[in-house]
Amino acid sequence: MHRVRGRPTGGTHVTAGDEIRGTAHGTAPVPLSVLDLVTVGAGRTASDALRTSVELAKLTEARGFHRYWVAEHHSMPGVASSSPAVILAHLAAYTERIRLGSGGVMLPNHAPLVIAEQFGTLEAMAPGRVDLGLGRAPGTDGATAAALRRTDRLNEGADDFPQQLAELTRFLDDDFPDGHPYRRIHAVPGPVQATSPGGVQSPHRPPVWLLGSSGFSARLAGMLGLPFAFAHHFSAQNTVPALDLYRESFRPSEVLDAPYALIGVAALAADDEKEARRQVLAAALNMVRLRTGRPGLVPTPEEAEAYDFSPMEREFVESWNANVIHGTADEVRAGLDDLQKRTGADELMLTANAHGGDVRVRSYELIADAYGLPTPA
């Protein structure tokens, strides 16, 4: 295993692979992790959703989940995760061991230096347990993306993603070459502090992950030797081809000597199968509204049961829920085991979208119990 490029010499070094690979607990086939969209249900507030995130982070840390990621979304009333770095700083204050990260930051929405500063600050708050997951999509509609970026040239941002990624990495490692216009610009907190008189620098640097829902980021992650996260929860038909492409494209790097891929999985367990179906129907109605330009708060199961779905909407719901692993804890465990076998994923990152925070928390409790994960002392 190679050491991460840009680390200060001397002292204790930490390999990037050590900060990427997790450990499976209980009978889970691979490490289990959490993807949190900080969902807001009808009749609830963003404060309610964020309190649920704290409760969920504490619970999953205690039960042996490996990492907890927050996804950047914008202009969606039912998703309160527009500022991942702010939420992660909040969660860092309530946790001690679980890895915290972005799943992901949509890099074309931001200046690379700003992201390097934000995640350098998070690393200083929670040393050795911060991940930087990056996507090239806007995480919203085109008009909102234009407002975020102050330009309507949105395709250019996606096309420039490899260059933005290279710039961000150099800011994180503080290793722009001599003669580069950014050579004297430093992301602080960061490695430059180790070169200042009396300076001591942490051996950790947030590992960079590439996120994707198609082949572009899969190939790029493989070529760069980076870990890869695939959005199976909304692009299931592309999962196996993308993972195959990632593994075929992989080149050993200073970060990883072998491929490492996780997949995001929509999974919701309830105490009985009927309740699970009610909850995922409400989440599916929320997706119907989002996909038809009517984003809103996550409806209650009662509202979803009373909703008059059109034939086209019903077809969408059935297709969407076919990729949501739901039911009793044993049914969800069996579905996750089967998915891991089919994809060969090195890690499963579970996202549970439901109207109520208590439902989401209970789902993770049930899944942890089904796999015999550690219980709090």
Side-chain angles (χ1 to χ4, degrees):
M1 175 66 62
H2 300 279
R3 287 173 177 157
V4 177
R5 179 168 56 89
R7 292 292 186 270
T9 58
T12 301
H13 294 270
V14 177
T15 63
D18 295 338
E19 297 186 304
I20 292 169
R21 297 183 178 90
T23 300
H25 295 288
T27 60
V30 293
L32 302 180
S33 293
V34 180
L35 175 62
D36 185 6
L37 304 186
V38 196
T39 48
V40 184
R44 312 291 173 88
T45 66
S47 295
D48 295 329
L50 289 165
R51 279 192 290 269
T52 294
S53 293
V54 169
E55 182 180 359
L56 193 51
K58 293 166 67 176
L59 168 73
T60 51
E61 176 176 73
R63 298 303 304 268
F65 284 72
H66 182 49
R67 67 183 95 236
Y68 194 108
W69 281 5
V70 179
E72 177 184 346
H73 292 84
H74 299 278
S75 199
M76 299 179 187
V79 179
S81 57
S82 58
S83 302
V86 176
I87 297 171
L88 294 172
H90 184 58
L91 297 179
Y94 289 93
T95 56
E96 297 177 356
R97 298 179 305 279
I98 196 167
R99 296 194 64 83
L100 301 170
S102 55
V105 163
M106 301 298 110
L107 186 55
N109 293 343
H110 311 276
L113 175 58
V114 171
I115 299 305
E117 291 174 335
Q118 288 178 355
F119 279 77
T121 302
L122 287 168
E123 178 61 44
M125 291 177 173
R129 61 188 186 103
V130 174
D131 298 324
L132 175 51
L134 301 169
R136 68 188 189 104
T140 187
D141 60 273
T144 306
L148 283 165
R149 304 176 190 180
R150 301 186 67 81
T151 178
D152 58 3
R153 298 166 67 183
L154 301 183
N155 289 334
E156 184 177 277
D159 293 342
D160 288 347
F161 181 76
Q163 290 73 31
Q164 292 175 314
L165 173 62
E167 183 179 311
L168 171 58
T169 302
R170 288 201 176 276
F171 275 126
L172 289 170
D173 290 331
D174 198 50
D175 68 349
F176 283 101
D178 291 337
H180 193 282
Y182 295 162
R183 181 66 185 89
R184 296 183 180 276
I185 300 174
H186 309 286
V188 177
V192 67
Q193 292 167 314
T195 65
S196 301
V200 178
Q201 175 61 26
S202 167
H204 304 280
R205 189 268 262 167
V208 170
W209 289 69
L210 295 194
L211 279 59
S213 58
S214 63
F216 181 93
S217 291
R219 184 187 297 276
L220 183 60
M223 292 172 59
L224 297 176
L226 295 176
F228 178 57
F230 187 80
H232 173 83
H233 54 298
F234 65 80
S235 188
Q237 72 277 9
N238 292 324
T239 303
V240 171
L243 294 184
D244 286 346
L245 182 59
Y246 169 60
R247 293 166 184 139
E248 293 165 3
S249 304
F250 188 85
R251 301 292 180 269
S253 70
E254 294 175 327
V255 176
L256 284 174
D257 55 9
Y260 191 90
L262 70 75
I263 58 174
V265 185
L268 191 132
D271 289 293
D272 64 74
E273 187 177 356
K274 179 180 178 181
E275 182 59 22
R277 289 198 303 269
R278 292 179 72 244
Q279 296 294 337
V280 299
L281 180 63
L285 174 56
N286 188 52
M287 286 304 304
V288 166
R289 290 169 171 169
L290 177 64
R291 293 293 179 91
T292 55
R294 301 171 291 154
L297 302 175
V298 180
T300 65
E302 292 76 17
E303 181 182 352
E305 288 176 326
Y307 183 82
D308 184 17
F309 289 91
S310 71
M312 185 175 295
E313 289 173 337
R314 179 63 64 182
E315 182 179 354
F316 172 85
V317 167
E318 291 175 356
S319 174
W320 180 264
N321 282 344
N323 292 313
V324 179
I325 299 175
H326 62 284
T328 65
D330 288 342
E331 289 171 330
V332 170
R333 180 190 60 194
L336 293 174
D337 288 348
D338 177 69
L339 178 63
Q340 192 280 324
K341 288 178 183 177
R342 287 190 288 111
T343 63
D346 299 296
E347 187 172 329
L348 299 177
M349 178 166 275
L350 313 183
T351 183
N353 294 325
H355 170 265
D358 56 336
V359 174
R360 298 177 60 225
V361 171
R362 180 60 176 158
S363 176
Y364 287 97
E365 286 180 332
L366 289 169
I367 293 170
D369 288 345
Y371 279 118
L373 299 192
T375 56

